[in-house]
Each structure stands twice: as structure tokens, then as C-alpha cells.
Amino acid sequence: PAATNLLGRATELLPENHASRPETLGELGSALWAVGDTERADATLGEAIQAAGRARNRGLELRGRIDLAYLRLFIDPEGRAEELLDLAAEAIPVLEALGDDRSLGRTWSVLAFVHGGVHGRYAASAEASERALVHYRRMGWLPATCVRELATALYYGPAPVPAAIRRCRAFVAGADPSSEAMLWTFLAGLEAMRARFEVARTLAQESRTAHEQLGWSVAMRVIWAPVAADVEVLSGDYEAAAGLLRKTCEELERMDQRAPLATRAAHLAAALYAIGQFEDAGRWSDVAENNAATDDSSAQLAWRAVRGKLLAREGEVHEGEALVRDAVRLAEATDALNDRAGVLLDLADVLRRRGRDVEALSHVERARALYEQKGNRAALRKTQALLRELAPA
């Protein structure tokens, strides 16, 4: 919030043709977005692009276009990921020729989000984050943005839990407060996968306090709350998870953040299904479907999985199975091991309703192998209990 005030005053004082104006407007746009003022952020980034064009500053113009497309991916997501990939391909050679580390770091960080957060390819996301880190360190800029994307990739992607924890803790040593807030979030989720729930909740609370102190209203809803809900799901407290996700979804609706709303609403629907609130689960699965971009793998597979289980429970078992199988197919195109395991368990749930326990058992076995690969002990324990239940007498 202080940054938005200072940058806002700076842009008011700078003459229209001042050389610093395009970059200052760009930084103001990013700061406005961080505090949740997306309408002003959109207008300010548009103004930054125009100012850069008038100044014939190709690097700042490209960076402004990338930042604006990235913001719009969250509020109007359809087609934005492909737009960003095309923009990055256009921008990177130009920015490399200019030696513009600030813009290169930003571009690679945005690519990291598209690869992971949209397409579910977290190994590619981690690689892009590493490239972003090189540029952030070279220019001496605080690396919180690319640290966040790297930690996200370590958490959701194929990195085994012990290795992911070691990497995150290595970053914590000497990290700035912004990076620490991000890292504590994902360390909380990783510790929950190790079934260390009290440690996980302590880290989650420390991260929440840091986010509040930094004024990161968007990050609280988009990043912190979903991981905090994961902690509760892994511990078996679906009521607590649903409470966290409901508040998050209501806030994202108010902020018109459609892309993160789609995934969070699907996860809320899954938590509500687990506690038997089936009508409410159906409503939130509708919200997820209506807000998900067609290429948003996480949202698309998540709403299909919970909707399929709801249909099967209502007696529409053929339709339900087909929908969950679609979710499995989408998940298999990603390297998000927990998601892939989760939808296999959802498919097993539907198959059991049809009396196909032997086939269900094979999918639970596949889920168990994926949880083992990830090192998700908490989910593995639940899966092994299900295997014992399904094992032939």
C-alpha cells in the first residue's frame, strides 16, 4: 500500500514526456494489482504501454504488454495463456539484446506461471523460475515473484517432498520478508504432506501474518488460502478446509478474479462433497466450470472430478464415470503428481458405486504409486487404508 501511494505521487509529479514515466507507471500498475485494485492496475498498465510507445522504448512497451496480459489472465482468462506465450516469444530476444534484466526476469516469471499454474507442467515452470532468478539477482531486485513460482512448482509438481523442503529452506536463509512469506506458505503444505500437521499450521499462520503485514490481499486468496486448505484436507479436517476455501471464493468473486476462482471453487466443491454437503458442492462445481478457461488444466480436471462423483451419487453412474475419466485424461497430461493421484481415487470412488471393486483397486494402486513418488505420506496413509478395505478377503 505504501508503494502504491509513493508511485502514484511520483507519476502525478512527472511530466508527460519524462523518460522515467513509462517505467514508473509500470511499477505502479504492478503495485496496484498486488493490493487488489485490478481496475486501476489495468488502466495504469495501459497508460504505461502508451507512454513507452511515445518514448519509443520498445523494452518497456513489451514489458507493459506482458504485465497487462498477465493481469487479464486472472480476470478474463480465455485465450490469455496462449497470448502470453506468444508475447514472451516476441519479447525475450528483444529484451536480451537490450540487456533489460528487470523485464527479462518478469517475463520468465510470467512464463513460469503459465507453464505451471495454467498448464500443470511444473518441471517446465521450475526451469523458467530458475531463469527468472538469474535476472532478478543480476539486477539486485527482490526475487519474491520468481521465488514464489519456484516454490509453487516444487509444491505442486514432481519434486519429491524431502527435496522440495530442502530447496525451500535453502531459500529462507537470508531471504527478504516478501520471499519468506511465500516460502512459509509452501513449506506449510510440504510439512503437511509429511503428516507434521502442527508444524504445518504454525508455518501457515506465520505466512498469513506476513501476507497481512505486506498488504497482499490477492496473494492471500490466490496462494496462501489454497495451501492452508490443503493442510486441513491432509489432516482430515474437511470442515476447516471448506471454511477457508469458501471465504476465499467469495472474496475472489468480489474481486472478479475468475481464473483462480475456477480452481478454488472446484476444490471447495470437493471439500463440501467430503462432508456431505452435496447441493452446495454442486453449486460450486458450476462456479468452477463457468469461470475456467478451456486450457486451465487444474480447474478443468478438478470440476470434472467432483461433478462426476456427484452424478454417480445421484444414480447417473455412466455420465459420472465418463466425466471423471475425462479428469484422469487431463491430469495425465500434467506432472502434478498429487492431482493425478487424486483423480484416480475419484474414479475408484465412482467405480465402487457400480460394484466394480476390482477395477477400482487397480486405480487406487496407481494413486498409491504416485503419492509414493511425491513423498506425500499423509495422502499415502489414507490410500493404503483404502487398499486394505478393497483387498480381496
Side-chain angles (χ1 to χ4, degrees), residues 12-338:
E12 290 171 4
L13 293 169
L14 285 170
E16 286 290 323
N17 61 349
H18 196 281
S20 297
R21 186 172 178 77
E23 186 163 15
T24 307
L25 283 165
E27 300 295 354
L28 174 59
S30 295
L32 287 166
W33 185 19
V35 297
D37 194 342
T38 51
E39 186 174 344
R40 281 184 65 203
D42 189 293
T44 302
L45 289 170
E47 190 179 349
I49 294 166
Q50 292 176 356
R54 289 193 298 270
R56 300 183 184 277
N57 190 322
R58 180 68 171 148
L60 287 177
E61 183 181 0
L62 284 167
R63 180 177 134 204
R65 287 170 61 196
I66 288 167
D67 280 344
L68 185 57
Y70 185 42
L71 182 152
R72 289 177 176 173
L73 183 152
F74 283 75
I75 58 178
D76 181 23
E78 190 61 46
R80 298 295 182 187
E82 194 63 34
E83 178 186 354
L84 277 165
L85 292 174
D86 291 342
L87 269 173
E90 176 188 355
I92 286 172
V94 175
L95 299 173
E96 286 178 340
L98 293 170
D100 185 347
D101 285 309
R102 169 65 171 143
S103 298
L104 281 165
R106 184 72 176 150
T107 301
W108 280 110
S109 186
V110 167
L111 279 175
F113 177 80
V114 173
H115 290 322
V118 180
H119 294 152
R121 295 166 187 162
Y122 288 101
S125 177
E127 183 179 344
S129 298
E130 296 279 12
R131 299 189 72 161
L133 268 170
V134 170
H135 295 290
Y136 272 72
R137 285 168 171 162
R138 190 179 291 164
M139 69 182 171
W141 198 271
L142 293 179
T145 302
C146 43
V147 167
R148 176 193 70 208
E149 294 304 334
L150 181 54
T152 301
L154 293 168
Y155 178 69
Y156 289 108
V161 168
I165 287 174
R166 286 195 299 272
R167 192 75 200 281
C168 287
R169 290 207 175 276
F171 273 114
V172 168
D176 62 278
S178 301
S179 297
E180 276 189 344
M182 297 293 181
L183 291 163
W184 286 336
T185 297
F186 292 106
L187 280 167
L190 290 164
E191 290 291 356
M193 289 186 212
R194 293 208 293 181
R196 300 180 66 197
F197 298 116
E198 290 311 309
V199 173
R201 291 187 179 104
T202 298
L203 286 165
Q205 184 55 53
E206 289 175 354
S207 178
R208 176 174 187 158
T209 300
H211 276 73
E212 290 170 345
Q213 290 173 344
L214 290 162
W216 283 352
S217 56
V218 175
M220 272 284 293
R221 301 301 169 214
V222 175
I223 300 165
W224 178 84
V227 178
D230 285 350
V231 172
E232 301 306 333
V233 166
L234 287 169
S235 76
D237 192 343
Y238 291 94
E239 290 271 7
L244 283 164
L245 289 167
R246 185 186 298 277
K247 185 175 180 181
T248 289
C249 288
E250 290 170 350
E251 186 68 9
L252 289 172
E253 280 187 310
R254 186 191 65 77
M255 296 165 68
D256 198 27
Q257 295 276 319
R258 293 183 60 205
L261 172 62
T263 305
R264 310 315 169 219
H267 292 167
L268 171 57
L272 291 167
Y273 180 92
I275 57 178
Q277 295 184 22
F278 302 117
E279 184 177 348
D280 213 9
R283 185 176 74 81
W284 282 106
S285 75
D286 289 342
V287 171
E289 180 185 7
N290 293 336
N291 285 280
T294 53
D295 62 350
D296 186 338
S297 63
S298 178
Q300 290 290 347
L301 69 89
W303 77 255
R304 281 174 167 81
V306 70
R307 179 81 57 75
K309 291 195 297 182
L310 286 164
L311 286 170
R313 183 185 171 277
E314 293 162 3
E316 299 180 47
V317 287
H318 293 286
E319 296 84 349
E321 181 183 341
L323 208 52
V324 181
R325 286 192 184 276
D326 273 350
V328 171
R329 175 183 55 80
L330 290 168
E332 286 175 347
T334 78
D335 58 8
L337 300 184
N338 287 325

Side-chain angles (χ1 to χ4, degrees), residues 365-386:
E365 285 279 10
R366 289 173 60 197
R368 179 195 58 76
L370 288 167
Y371 284 136
E372 279 189 341
Q373 184 180 342
K374 180 64 181 177
N376 188 341
R377 293 180 197 164
L380 187 59
R381 289 175 185 175
K382 295 180 183 180
T383 307
Q384 288 170 331
L386 182 56

